Amino acid sequence: MSENIKQKTVLSCWIIFAILIFVHGFEAIVLRMDETVFGENCINKLFGIFVWNLAYSNPAA
């Protein structure tokens, strides 16, 4: 997966950005995290870290 991301950098960035925008919208509209102790973008940041780790992990190693 890592080699595919390196070859299609712009497309990969757009896909990850679209996924994170969807998660942010879900968090803001459905979960209403901005009214909780965690604050705004808590789940979005955790999900972003997860997606980044998933995209850049090297399963062959």
Side-chain angles (χ1 to χ4, degrees):
M1 182 179 232
S2 179
E3 289 299 320
N4 193 21
I5 289 173
K6 289 178 183 176
Q7 292 172 355
K8 300 178 182 178
T9 306
V10 175
L11 179 62
S12 300
C13 288
W14 275 107
I15 291 171
I16 292 171
F17 178 75
I19 290 170
L20 293 178
I21 286 293
F22 175 75
V23 170
H24 176 68
F26 178 78
E27 178 185 21
I29 295 170
V30 177
L31 298 179
R32 302 184 59 92
M33 292 294 288
D34 58 337
E35 299 175 357
T36 65
V37 159
F38 297 112
E40 193 173 340
N41 292 329
C42 179
I43 293 178
N44 193 29
K45 289 175 185 174
L46 292 174
F47 190 75
I49 292 168
F50 172 75
V51 169
W52 185 83
N53 282 328
L54 184 67
Y56 288 100
S57 65
N58 190 358

